[in-house]
Amino acid sequence: MDALPSFDLVRPRTLAELIEARAAFPDGRVLGGGTDLMVNIRRGIVAPPVLIDINGVRELRDIKADVRGLEIGTAATLAALAAHAGVARHYPVVAQAAGHIAGPTQRNMGTVGGNLALDTRCIFYNQSEWWREANHHCLKTTGEICHVAPKSRGVCFATFSGDLAPALLTLDAEIDVAGPAGRRTMPLADLYIGYARQDEPVTETRGDGKFFLSLRHGEVIVAVKAHNTPGLRSAYDKIRIRKSIEYPVTGVAVALRRDGDTLADLRVAFTGTNPRPVRLSGTDKLCGGPLDARVFAGLDALVRDQIMAMKTTFTPGHYRRRVAGVLARRLAQKLFVL
Ligand SMILES: Cc1cc2nc3c(=O)[nH]c(=O)nc-3n(C[C@H](O)[C@H](O)[C@H](O)COP(=O)(O)OP(=O)(O)OC[C@H]3O[C@@H](n4cnc5c(N)ncnc54)[C@H](O)[C@@H]3O)c2cc1C
Ligand code: SF4
């Protein structure tokens, strides 16, 4: 195993101290539970000289969930989120997604902020230094080509695999972000800009896959919020290689509303498939009738169009796309008959 390089550790106690530390150490990285960042440091993927630990900032650890809405501080742990009675009762999709992340050890350490800002993953990238060196690295780090798609011309297809984001996207969640320029609120969906397109220039709202979060320099995610939608039923499920301690091959969040025998609202979001979590667009056109073969065929078509089939994990890309559709169907069916 590679030795951990040295770094300085800064431990702010308040949000103001946290923002100050971000400004004082521009090359520093925010440290949540470290369950992904420390692994990447050990593998030589990143080497920040300073880590800014947010766990001492008390105001970032609160979780509030009731019939009006949900508000989660980003230093709250995944274990606390999964076990929160208000979250489980009113926002089951969020509690279930949190409970599906990694294993108990990672959930006790891992934070909501770290999960939302998780680095993207790929079989050629999440490897030891010597393994990547033997393959001349790849363009997400210091190499010149993408091993998944050698003709990708600067585009990276590494997949976003955080389980919480799709769950929160089905609730139309927003995030509060704080930085040197102040505090702003934006839709969670706008945080993710990994479009992996080479036919469009990289902008603040559309990234090339290597660039996949819209956070500005020195910004930290401080909270995630959502309103309650009366009558919305929601659930999360995922396929993984091992039944525990494992990233999703694909993770699916579904939320729907039923009005008598009619499907009144359908929201479906995926993780583990694209360089960003994907909330399917076009599901509104499937509503207005019963949950029948027409809806399932429509759902399959949307998945085929919007879910990427690149081989970035140990399973073939087309398998991932296939099971994404199957999981979405199963969850929709289960929620409709509840
Ligand atoms: C064996 C194993 C299995 C895993 N399985 C899963 C899985 O099934 N599903 C899954 O989703 N994840 C999985 N993970 C990854 C990880 O454990 C979780 O995603 C966890 O939630 C990361 O949170 P953290 O607080 O530990 O993040 P950290 O490692 O501390 O940080 C991750 C990234 O987020 C940034 N960051 C942290 N907090 C903030 C913030 N508030 N604002 C802005 N940036 C921030 C960091 O700078 C870093 O870039 C697994 C990890 C391991 C080791
Ligand atoms: S998709 Fe390509 S560029 Fe991105 S991490 Fe994998 S091999 Fe590297």
Side-chain angles (χ1 to χ4, degrees), residues 229-299:
T229 304
L232 196 70
R233 306 167 178 186
S234 65
Y236 187 80
D237 201 1
K238 77 194 232 190
I239 297 282
R240 43 187 161 176
I241 304 280
R242 297 171 291 187
K243 259 284 187 191
S244 66
I245 322 184
E246 192 68 282
Y247 286 91
V249 167
T250 183
V252 184
V254 176
L256 62 78
R257 231 165 17 85
R258 181 177 171 165
D259 187 2
D261 284 338
T262 301
L263 179 65
D265 190 357
L266 177 64
R267 310 165 186 192
V268 183
F270 297 94
T271 189
T273 59
N274 294 46
R276 66 193 159 88
V278 176
R279 166 120 175 231
L280 279 190
S281 57
T283 52
D284 52 327
K285 304 208 173 51
L286 305 176
C287 298
L291 185 76
D292 57 10
R294 178 194 67 91
V295 175
F296 291 138
L299 204 49

Side-chain angles (χ1 to χ4, degrees), residues 120-126 137-141 145-149 152 154-159 209-210 310-312:
T120 53
R121 303 181 63 75
C122 167
I123 33 169
F124 292 97
Y125 174 72
N126 296 94
H137 298 275
C138 75
L139 56 81
K140 189 159 190 233
T141 52
I145 60 162
C146 166
H147 299 301
V148 167
S152 82
V155 170
C156 166
F157 299 95
T159 49
K210 298 196 295 291
M310 305 302 274
K311 186 176 170 13
T312 53

Side-chain angles (χ1 to χ4, degrees), residues 184 190-191 193 201-207 211 213-217 219:
R184 63 188 175 117
D190 291 354
L191 175 65
I193 56 168
V202 175
T203 65
E204 224 194 18
T205 55
R206 252 175 133 74
F211 181 45
L213 292 179
S214 65
L215 290 179
R216 296 178 190 146
H217 205 69
E219 282 188 331

Side-chain angles (χ1 to χ4, degrees), residues 47-338:
V50 177
L51 295 185
I52 303 163
D53 178 357
I54 64 167
N55 292 290
V57 182
R58 179 69 200 84
E59 62 205 275
L60 298 187
R61 295 187 79 94
D62 289 345
I63 302 174
K64 294 178 203 146
D66 59 24
V67 73
R68 282 161 308 185
L70 172 70
E71 181 161 352
I72 313 163
T74 48
T77 65
L78 302 168
L81 185 61
H84 194 282
V87 179
R89 173 151 185 222
H90 301 289
Y91 310 95
V93 68
V94 175
Q96 288 169 20
H100 274 83
I101 295 169
T105 325
Q106 290 85 10
R107 288 198 294 274
N108 282 335
M109 291 295 292
T111 62
V112 169
N115 195 259
L116 294 179
L118 191 66
D119 195 4
T120 53
R121 303 181 63 75
C122 167
I123 33 169
F124 292 97
Y125 174 72
N126 296 94
Q127 301 291 348
S128 64
E129 176 85 41
W130 68 261
W131 194 98
R132 288 179 296 113
E133 170 74 35
N135 286 288
H136 307 292
H137 298 275
C138 75
L139 56 81
K140 189 159 190 233
T141 52
T142 53
E144 283 170 13
I145 60 162
C146 166
H147 299 301
V148 167
K151 292 185 185 159
S152 82
R153 287 186 282 139
V155 170
C156 166
F157 299 95
T159 49
F160 180 84
S161 301
D163 283 290
L164 279 183
L168 289 159
L169 287 176
T170 63
L171 304 180
D172 288 327
E174 294 185 318
I175 50 171
D176 284 347
V177 170
R183 201 164 163 137
R184 63 188 175 117
T185 299
M186 63 179 186
L188 174 64
D190 291 354
L191 175 65
Y192 300 109
I193 56 168
Y195 277 84
R197 301 283 300 251
Q198 71 229 140
D199 53 344
E200 290 174 12
V202 175
T203 65
E204 224 194 18
T205 55
R206 252 175 133 74
D208 57 3
K210 298 196 295 291
F211 181 45
F212 63 94
L213 292 179
S214 65
L215 290 179
R216 296 178 190 146
H217 205 69
E219 282 188 331
V220 183
I221 311 168
V222 293
V224 54
K225 308 179 291 193
H227 294 294
N228 189 19
T229 304
L232 196 70
R233 306 167 178 186
S234 65
Y236 187 80
D237 201 1
K238 77 194 232 190
I239 297 282
R240 43 187 161 176
I241 304 280
R242 297 171 291 187
K243 259 284 187 191
S244 66
I245 322 184
E246 192 68 282
Y247 286 91
V249 167
T250 183
V252 184
V254 176
L256 62 78
R257 231 165 17 85
R258 181 177 171 165
D259 187 2
D261 284 338
T262 301
L263 179 65
D265 190 357
L266 177 64
R267 310 165 186 192
V268 183
F270 297 94
T271 189
T273 59
N274 294 46
R276 66 193 159 88
V278 176
R279 166 120 175 231
L280 279 190
S281 57
T283 52
D284 52 327
K285 304 208 173 51
L286 305 176
C287 298
L291 185 76
D292 57 10
R294 178 194 67 91
V295 175
F296 291 138
L299 204 49
D300 280 347
L302 295 178
V303 168
R304 256 195 322 273
D305 277 359
Q306 296 171 47
I307 297 306
M308 199 175 81
M310 305 302 274
K311 186 176 170 13
T312 53
T313 62
F314 289 103
T315 52
H318 61 83
Y319 170 77
R320 197 171 54 224
R321 184 150 72 176
R322 189 101 179 256
V323 293
V326 171
L327 275 189
R329 271 171 180 242
R330 277 189 200 156
L331 280 181
Q333 209 153 21
K334 187 171 115 190
L335 290 169
F336 196 75
V337 297
L338 264 185

